[in-house]
Amino acid sequence: MSTNIPPFKADVVGSYLRPEYLHKARSDYANGTISSHELKKIEDKAIIELVEKQKKAGLHVITDGEFRRSWWHLDFMWGLNGVEKAFLSKGYSFDGIETRPETARLTGKISGNNHPFIEHFSFLLKFAEDNIVPRLTIPAPAQFFKELYRPENLDSTNVIYSSKDELINDIIGAYQEFIKELYLVGCRNLQLDDCTWGMMVDSRYHNSGIAESESVNSCSCHSDHTVISNDINSLAETLVYLNNEAIKNAPSDLVLTTHVCRGNYRSTWAASGGYGPIAEILFGRENVSAYYLEFDTDRAGDFSPLSYVSGNKKVVLGLISSKTGELESKQKVIERIYEASKFVPLDRLCLSTQCGFASTEEGNALTEEQQWDKIALVKEIAQEVWKY
């Protein structure tokens, strides 16, 4: 295993565009024309090819591109015990478009042992090298918590858990179980993807999915913990507590980072707003070693909230858009990196795209060639700024 410690100066968020033959295989499997074994063989092939492309691009981190998933988050939730795939009357709302109406719904008490993602990561681990770190990306505990409080999931959640304290404790326990098993198979870099913060900064959402529900109005998780209410700070307190407790017992050599954005579906977005409203809690108190942050458009605000980043935490600036194939101006990106360095020292900054290229299997509206051109630009800029 590499002694390199992520994040890297030229980094990536995780997901990649699926090749057309993988799209076809997943469709064939859904239609019942190929078996799960046949699908896995095709997924294996696509991942092996992707890993080679990542290495050829000069990246020091590899992922499986999330090629075995349909969604960046729901597939992980479906793999937890006590959770099922379910359908809603409507999907998530994005700018001018709506997603597939799928969700994760409770069928019983939650636990995290024997998760299928353990096997998925074990396959990727085979391709590690001295200077190549395999990374797994999963939704943060906060993301799972909020999914269970979508309006159409409320009844199931409240039937299984009459106490919100009990629910939060079981989510924490499930993630701790999963992280323990993941570490034992060899994972040393886990990224928690978390759109909850990106939604809270938008005044249209703030506490949407939780505080809007009359049946969810309090939580007494520990003596210093306040209530879930219509106050954005109260929800933020709940979410940072949940995320921190879930990773509290993780081994010290497991690099834990988080990615925050405002939605990424077929090149569209869901929310707007700077990090200011949640910066003190998220940047100051979440116990991760680095933040992968969306900064590719004005929707993300300016860099001033980065002044709340505590300790020696690093910030990966998502200044290159994964939503469009048009290449950014190298000089303008470099200027923005130095602007951000007014708030976080340059040696604690890194560069990446603002999100993955395919947060869902549909993928963003660019070609694979444009995808790799974007990564090449990240690498080129990192080399110039940090002599990487």
Side-chain angles (χ1 to χ4, degrees):
M1 178 67 67
S2 169
T3 56
N4 293 337
I5 299 177
F8 301 103
K9 294 304 181 185
D11 215 308
V12 293
V13 173
S15 64
Y16 290 87
L17 297 171
R18 279 68 160 169
E20 191 54 43
Y21 72 82
L22 181 55
H23 282 297
K24 182 179 185 305
R26 290 183 63 86
S27 177
D28 289 345
Y29 175 69
N31 294 330
T33 56
I34 66 171
S35 67
S36 59
H37 177 71
E38 291 171 311
L39 174 61
K40 183 181 182 301
K41 287 176 63 177
I42 295 169
E43 290 171 342
D44 289 352
K45 176 179 182 293
I47 291 167
I48 291 170
E49 291 174 352
L50 174 65
V51 166
E52 289 305 310
K53 290 177 181 177
Q54 290 174 89
K55 291 180 178 180
K56 185 178 179 181
L59 295 172
H60 291 290
V61 61
I62 55 173
T63 76
D64 65 4
E66 302 176 6
F67 279 7
R68 302 190 198 273
R69 310 183 206 180
S70 179
W71 298 82
W72 65 274
H73 61 324
L74 293 179
D75 295 70
F76 176 82
M77 299 175 193
W78 296 333
L80 294 167
N81 301 306
V83 183
E84 68 174 357
K85 180 178 181 178
F87 297 89
L88 302 167
S89 58
K90 60 179 294 184
Y92 302 94
S93 295
F94 278 70
D95 183 42
I97 197 170
E98 186 179 299
T99 70
R100 286 172 279 127
E102 297 175 353
T103 188
R105 188 170 294 157
L106 294 185
T107 59
K109 300 292 186 181
I110 304 162
S111 64
N113 57 303
N114 299 318
H115 197 288
F117 277 29
I118 301 296
E119 182 181 347
H120 296 177
F121 183 80
S122 295
F123 180 82
L124 180 68
L125 186 63
K126 295 186 294 186
F127 305 101
E129 297 178 11
D130 285 344
N131 63 342
I132 303 291
V133 177
R135 172 181 299 157
L136 183 66
T137 62
I138 64 171
Q143 192 77 45
F144 180 39
F145 179 70
K146 288 203 72 177
E147 189 69 27
L148 298 181
Y149 280 112
R150 294 188 71 177
E152 292 178 63
N153 289 337
L154 264 175
D155 287 345
S156 296
T157 299
N158 290 334
V159 165
I160 304 299
Y161 289 99
S162 57
S163 160
K164 288 170 288 298
D165 287 0
E166 184 186 8
L167 170 62
I168 288 174
N169 287 336
D170 275 8
I171 292 175
I172 291 168
Y175 270 79
Q176 288 181 348
E177 284 181 286
F178 174 79
I179 290 171
K180 180 179 179 180
E181 291 187 16
L182 184 67
Y183 182 84
L184 288 174
V185 300
C187 182
R188 297 298 181 267
N189 185 198
L190 179 64
Q191 175 180 301
L192 304 173
D193 294 325
D194 199 347
C195 284
T196 59
W197 306 98
M199 301 299 283
M200 278 193 288
V201 300
D202 192 319
S203 60
R204 296 173 301 165
Y205 299 104
H206 277 192
N207 300 327
S208 62
I210 297 182
E212 291 173 0
S213 168
E214 294 180 1
S215 59
V216 183
N217 47 44
S218 67
C219 176
S220 56
C221 305
H222 64 99
S223 58
D224 297 325
H225 201 55
T226 55
V227 299
I228 298 175
S229 70
N230 288 326
D231 171 30
I232 186 174
N233 290 325
S234 296
L235 178 58
E237 290 283 355
T238 297
L239 300 184
V240 77
Y241 169 80
L242 178 55
N243 285 347
N244 281 343
E245 289 297 303
I247 63 177
K248 184 169 69 172
N249 297 325
S252 60
D253 62 337
L254 174 61
V255 178
L256 290 157
T257 65
T258 192
H259 165 66
V260 177
C261 79
R262 293 154 184 77
N264 186 48
Y265 177 71
R266 297 174 64 179
S267 289
T268 63
W269 51 272
S272 296
Y275 294 96
I278 45 83
E280 185 173 4
I281 292 176
L282 175 63
F283 298 156
R285 290 167 44 200
E286 185 155 310
N287 296 327
V288 292
S289 62
Y291 301 90
Y292 290 72
L293 301 176
E294 174 184 14
F295 274 117
D296 62 321
T297 70
D298 291 341
R299 287 186 301 102
D302 63 22
F303 296 121
S304 61
L306 296 181
S307 62
Y308 286 102
V309 175
S310 60
N312 292 316
K313 297 174 183 175
K314 295 183 179 180
V315 172
V316 185
L317 300 169
L319 294 170
I320 307 295
S321 175
S322 68
K323 297 180 186 291
T324 173
E326 181 181 357
L327 283 176
E328 287 78 0
S329 160
K330 182 173 77 169
Q331 187 55 41
K332 287 183 179 179
V333 172
I334 291 173
E335 290 171 1
R336 294 200 70 199
I337 292 171
Y338 282 103
E339 183 183 346
S341 71
K342 297 174 184 176
F343 304 97
V344 175
L346 187 64
D347 64 354
R348 284 168 43 209
L349 294 176
C350 304
L351 179 65
S352 74
T353 54
Q354 105 287 345
C355 196
F357 292 95
S359 298
T360 68
E361 61 183 318
E362 288 88 350
N364 285 345
L366 70 166
T367 67
E368 286 193 51
E369 181 180 2
Q370 289 172 324
Q371 168 183 263
W372 294 108
D373 286 345
K374 291 277 183 169
I375 291 173
L377 180 60
V378 169
K379 180 81 173 177
E380 181 181 349
I381 293 172
Q383 287 173 329
E384 184 164 332
V385 171
W386 292 284
K387 312 305 178 189
Y388 180 59

